Amino acid sequence: MNKLDLKTIKDAAHRLLFDMSEEEFLTLQKEFDITLAQMDVLGKIAGVDEIEPMTFPFDIEVHHLRKDEADTPLSNEEVLLNVKEKQSGQIKLPKVVL
Amino acid sequence: MSNNYIPTIGLEIHLETKSKSKMFSSAPNTYGAKPNTSVLPIDLGMPGTLPTVNEEAVKNAIKLSHALHMKIDHTLHFDRKNYFYSDLPKGYQITQNERPIGSDGYLDFQLDGSSVRVEIERLHMEEDTCKQLHYTDFTLLDYNRAGVPLCEIVTRPCIHDARVARLYVEKIREIGIYLDVSDGKMEEGSLRCDVNISIAKEGAKEFGTKVEIKNLNSTANVEKAIAYEIERQKSLLENGEKVRQETRRFDESKMETVLMRVKTDAVDYKYFPEPNILPIKLSDEFVNDTIESSYELADVKFARYTNVFKVSEYDANTLLKNRSLALLFDDATKTCQYYDLLIHFINGDVLTYVSGANNVFNLSGKHLGELINLVGENKISNAQARDIFKVIAKDNKSPIDIVSEQGITQISDEDTLKEMIKKLLDENPQAIEDFKNGKGRAASFLVGLIMKLTKGKANPALASKLINEELKRR
């Protein structure tokens, strides 16, 4: 069973465009160790490779589509209720350009 | 291997589609509203909210897919595209990665008299992200756009000419507008286009390194940016340098592409099936009814106008640049069969009127058709039709009523006109002399005098014919 090293985790974090403290990376590495150990247990079950990946608990299809009707939106004040910094009715952030 | 470089271009178009509500939430889909006033908790990525798929957005995607000759998947599958950025409050965008609603289509159009085909790989539905306004040292977020329905249309890397790329974008916009599924306004961001472009020597088995150009805000800039980029890449290769895999933008003022960022590793979006939306089965009836309810495309109208109504290709193309006027023409043809007169009047007077600032236009096709019938039947002149049009354009009065109320008539009686012309020539011997000396303007001068004398009521074509006959007789 391979273990994830810190370099791989940091590379993955970089690709997902976020950063963490060294301590948080170590915590995450420990969590991965547990998850991978569990995967190892599952991997030992006979025939597990033949099981198709499952997204939904039941193999069902639905037919419902929402009718295109607009509801009353939130007020600007409600939208900005949890916002730390705002300007001209908008959320203000440090400059981010990807 | 030849020394010629062949460019290979692929286009990704994001088309915001029309609807009352958003793709996965029932917040209003608006443009131009005050910031953060068309938003519901789901658009803000609040925990506990669940997406529901908008029927109208699905119908729009089906109509577009059908117009682009695509296979339509009758089961909707959505996926999560995960990335961490401030325009995406949930941390993922709901899109269709594995199973786009439309696949394997094409679009044919004419360029320099030849037919060109662009192959389209896929059309998928997704939600738009929030709008970010970048200032010198801060960024503002407006979530009104977050969740607006989008169709992303992706071509295969099959285009080798900047003009084809531009025409393709123009055709997609035209199709969106004629199907009434999008307003196609690049300047407002409802049609956005990214270009992927590489060049390789003619006969090479592999593509060159791909460069992406983003944020092109007009079809003219699509063509200019590609043309510039082809030359830039050629120049790099000819100088023994390599083309880097990077994202560039087009700087309109400098007419060149500018580096935005170098792509080192491909971003891993960690796609997986959206667990909050079960696969949705569309009935054959739903798909077929949606296709049947599609509006007529411009190409179909063009064929009808030129083949059935026998108007010129030029007039048909001019009219089709404006869908509302094409619809007005279609409506007017229910009462008027003077197609040439009608299309000229719409392309001239009506277009000028509706282009005027603050001009209110409420004229029905029926009344416009009746007005042109009066001209076609020689009951009023073109000049009179123009005057009547100005009166009825705003409040849609009946032209027949106006003619009757105001006693507007055209003098089309030959005897009456002949009498007037004889008298006029007697009074203007110099004009006869000029005519005999080969001055063609003399006849036009006399037509002008007749029109003035009759206060515009004389039938100008008939008056001109009779004046020429009388001049030759003298």
Side-chain angles (χ1 to χ4, degrees), chain A residues 62 66 68 71 89 93 96 98, chain B residues 21 26 36 53 134 261 281:
Chain A
V62 295
R66 176 173 47 82
D68 182 32
D71 282 337
L93 303 178
V96 276
L98 190 62
Chain B
S21 63
S26 51
N36 296 307
V53 180
H134 300 296
R261 56 184 177 267
K281 177 80 185 148

Side-chain angles (χ1 to χ4, degrees), chain B residues 180-199:
Chain B
D180 200 28
V181 303
S182 176
D183 60 24
K185 290 181 181 168
M186 285 185 93
E187 66 281 13
E188 290 180 3
S190 51
L191 188 158
R192 306 195 287 273
C193 178
D194 297 339
V195 174
N196 285 303
I197 173 166
S198 65
I199 64 168

Side-chain angles (χ1 to χ4, degrees), chain B residues 56-276:
Chain B
E56 191 65 19
V58 175
K59 284 183 175 175
N60 287 339
I62 291 171
K63 288 175 186 172
L64 279 167
S65 298
H66 178 71
L68 299 172
H69 314 95
M70 309 188 92
K71 287 178 205 146
I72 296 170
D73 193 339
H74 285 217
T75 307
L76 303 180
H77 282 258
F78 290 93
D79 299 287
R80 284 189 184 181
K81 177 182 178 178
N82 298 279
Y83 67 92
F84 188 70
Y85 193 41
S86 49
D87 68 354
L88 203 61
K90 295 194 295 294
Y92 59 85
Q93 180 189 34
I94 306 178
T95 179
Q96 294 186 294
N97 184 49
E98 287 296 317
R99 287 179 61 171
I101 186 164
S103 57
D104 296 325
Y106 62 85
L107 182 57
D108 290 338
F109 48 88
Q110 295 286 314
L111 176 64
D112 297 338
S114 308
S115 184
V116 181
R117 170 164 294 189
V118 172
E119 293 167 24
I120 302 170
E121 186 178 304
R122 56 188 286 142
L123 180 151
H124 62 258
M125 292 178 283
E126 59 187 27
E127 55 182 337
D128 211 342
T129 56
C130 102
K131 193 169 162 188
Q132 303 190 105
L133 283 168
H134 300 296
Y135 293 88
T136 318
D137 53 1
F138 63 92
T139 295
L140 296 180
L141 304 181
D142 174 7
Y143 282 95
N144 285 352
R145 203 183 69 180
V148 165
L150 280 182
C151 279
E152 181 173 341
I153 307 163
V154 184
T155 71
R156 294 191 193 284
C158 62
I159 303 169
H160 304 287
D161 180 333
R163 289 184 308 157
V164 172
R166 175 185 179 163
L167 270 174
Y168 166 77
V169 180
E170 286 174 354
K171 287 304 281 186
I172 293 285
R173 180 171 63 185
E174 179 194 277
I175 287 170
I177 291 171
Y178 270 83
L179 289 175
D180 200 28
V181 303
S182 176
D183 60 24
K185 290 181 181 168
M186 285 185 93
E187 66 281 13
E188 290 180 3
S190 51
L191 188 158
R192 306 195 287 273
C193 178
D194 297 339
V195 174
N196 285 303
I197 173 166
S198 65
I199 64 168
K201 282 209 170 148
E202 199 174 353
K205 288 195 178 111
E206 287 181 2
F207 291 134
T209 307
K210 189 171 73 177
V211 168
E212 186 178 16
I213 312 172
K214 280 191 159 320
N215 304 335
L216 294 159
N217 62 1
S218 73
T219 58
N221 283 351
V222 169
E223 184 178 343
K224 287 175 197 161
I226 292 173
Y228 175 85
E229 190 55 27
I230 292 171
E231 292 307 314
R232 187 187 73 86
Q233 293 186 20
K234 261 189 205 172
S235 152
L236 282 174
L237 296 180
E238 277 166 7
N239 290 325
E241 293 174 59
K242 280 187 177 170
V243 174
R244 283 186 304 182
Q245 192 182 348
E246 57 193 27
T247 302
R248 302 177 73 85
R249 65 178 173 82
F250 185 63
D251 186 325
E252 204 173 357
S253 58
K254 293 181 185 156
M255 299 291 280
E256 61 184 37
T257 62
V258 182
L259 176 69
M260 284 171 80
R261 56 184 177 267
V262 178
K263 289 183 173 180
T264 44
D265 296 305
V267 181
D268 184 351
Y269 291 118
K270 307 207 181 307
Y271 286 103
F272 64 82
E274 166 57 61
N276 286 334

Side-chain angles (χ1 to χ4, degrees), chain B residues 369-380 388 399-400 403:
Chain B
E370 286 173 358
L371 178 69
I372 301 305
N373 279 342
L374 292 169
V375 180
E377 290 158 9
N378 286 326
K379 289 180 179 158
I380 60 170
I388 296 169
I400 296 167
V403 165

